[in-house]
């Protein structure tokens, strides 16, 4: 798929109009359609980052970096279409226990381990994933998810959520009028979790997922 294909596919998956996406990135709907239809052949990298944020995905997904081989990536960098990530500084974050990408599991605990992150990634802690409920968000069993501590996320963002004594990783939605929280997987084989005001459970957001680290096998 091209960048244009991914932009359109992701927008439709979220049920957003071109106008809504345009509002989020400071462009009109005509420009968004031109990106999606390939009329603007090379979408500027400066707009890829806000587009990824508006579409609750990553620049890597929109650019299709995982589909590029090394020679193509080097050419993109040479042509100025992408900017290599600076690894000049690093910091350590704690690697906590396993988090469920499936059914919620017991609350996470510290493992005593740490991982090194580039300073470009503003993460506070990392978790190892177990399960396949988030595979369509490109989060797989065994991945390490880097997270930022925060107690709120925007609807549709991927959050680390505490449900009583269990923790899970899901897309989080809160509907104020109905007083309903929905934890939505990214795999049709798994059911979403709905929690209403009548449910006597404690629901808290522990952090927002930023990126994943995958072991090369």
């Amino acid at each position: 798929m091209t960048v244009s294909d991914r932009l359109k596919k992701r927008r439709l998956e979220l049920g957003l109009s071109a106008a809504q996406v345009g509002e989020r990135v400071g462009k009109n709907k005509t420009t968004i359609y031109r990106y999606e239809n390939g009329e603007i052949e090379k979408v500027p990298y400066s707009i890829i980052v806000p587009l990824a944020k508006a579409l609750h995905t990553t620049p890597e997904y929109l650019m299709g970096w995982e589909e590029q081989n090394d020679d193509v990536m080097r050419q993109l960098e040479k042509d100025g279409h992408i900017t290599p990530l600076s690894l000049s500084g690093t910091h350590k974050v704690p690697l906590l226990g396993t988090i469920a990408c499936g059914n919620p599991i017991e609350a996470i605990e510290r493992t005593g381990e740490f991982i090194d992150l580039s300073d470009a990634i503003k993460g506070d802690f990392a978790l190892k994933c177990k399960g396949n409920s988030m595979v369509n968000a490109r989060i797989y069993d065994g991945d390490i998810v880097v997270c930022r501590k925060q107690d709120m996320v925007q609807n549709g963002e991927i959050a680390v959520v505490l449900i009583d004594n269990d923790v899970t990783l899901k897309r989080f939605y809160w509907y104020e009028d109905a007083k309903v929280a929905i934890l939505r997987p990214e795999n049709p084989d798994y059911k979403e979790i709905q929690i209403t005001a009548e449910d006597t459970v404690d629901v808290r957001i522990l952090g927002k997922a930023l990126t994943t680290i995958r072991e090369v096998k």
Side-chain angles (χ1 to χ4, degrees):
M1 289 194 297
T2 65
V3 174
S4 300
D5 293 333
R6 294 186 195 90
L7 285 171
K8 186 173 183 178
K9 178 177 181 290
R10 186 60 184 153
R11 177 175 66 78
L12 295 177
E13 286 176 347
L14 295 174
L16 297 173
S17 68
Q20 288 173 314
V21 174
E23 288 176 3
R24 296 181 182 186
V25 300
K27 301 288 184 180
N28 59 43
K29 66 178 182 181
T30 301
T31 300
I32 301 301
Y33 281 132
R34 292 181 68 196
Y35 289 154
E36 292 183 350
N37 295 333
E39 293 180 34
I40 300 177
E41 187 174 345
K42 294 181 179 178
V43 181
Y45 185 72
S46 60
I47 197 65
I48 286 290
V49 174
L51 277 171
K53 183 176 181 180
L55 295 171
H56 303 303
T57 187
T58 64
E60 289 84 358
Y61 168 73
L62 293 181
M63 293 293 288
W65 288 355
E66 292 187 2
E67 299 172 11
Q68 305 286 351
N69 60 36
D70 291 342
D71 290 337
V72 174
M73 289 298 290
R74 282 193 290 270
Q75 187 62 47
L76 286 170
E77 292 175 5
K78 181 179 178 182
D79 293 343
H81 300 315
I82 63 174
T83 303
L85 182 65
S86 172
L87 297 176
S88 57
T90 61
H91 64 285
K92 292 183 180 294
V93 299
L95 176 62
L96 305 183
T98 303
I99 186 171
C101 291
N103 296 320
I105 59 175
E106 292 182 5
I108 50 182
E109 296 180 355
R110 289 184 177 272
T111 64
E113 298 180 64
F114 290 82
I115 63 171
D116 291 316
L117 287 182
S118 164
D119 286 341
I121 303 173
K122 306 301 182 182
D124 297 308
F125 63 94
L127 293 159
K128 189 166 186 179
C129 295
K130 180 179 181 181
N132 298 303
S133 71
M134 299 300 290
V135 292
N136 289 344
R138 305 166 78 85
I139 300 174
Y140 303 96
D141 185 46
D143 283 358
I144 293 174
V145 176
V146 178
C147 306
R148 180 174 60 227
K149 290 180 181 178
Q150 57 187 74
D151 57 10
M152 294 181 64
V153 295
Q154 295 183 12
N155 275 4
E157 291 184 325
I158 298 175
V160 180
V161 184
L162 177 70
I163 308 173
D164 282 341
N165 294 319
D166 293 333
V167 178
T168 191
L169 187 73
K170 297 288 185 293
R171 288 200 185 277
F172 186 86
Y173 298 83
W174 169 252
Y175 298 98
E176 179 66 28
D177 292 344
K179 303 296 182 185
V180 174
I182 294 178
L183 280 61
R184 188 165 295 161
E186 283 281 356
N187 183 334
D189 293 335
Y190 291 79
K191 295 181 179 179
E192 66 182 22
I193 301 170
Q194 294 191 19
I195 302 170
T196 69
E198 297 177 355
D199 296 321
T200 57
V201 295
D202 177 29
V203 180
R204 283 184 288 156
I205 294 172
L206 303 181
K208 173 185 172 181
L210 301 179
T211 189
T212 59
I213 299 172
R214 186 166 305 133
E215 181 181 2
V216 177
K217 298 180 180 180

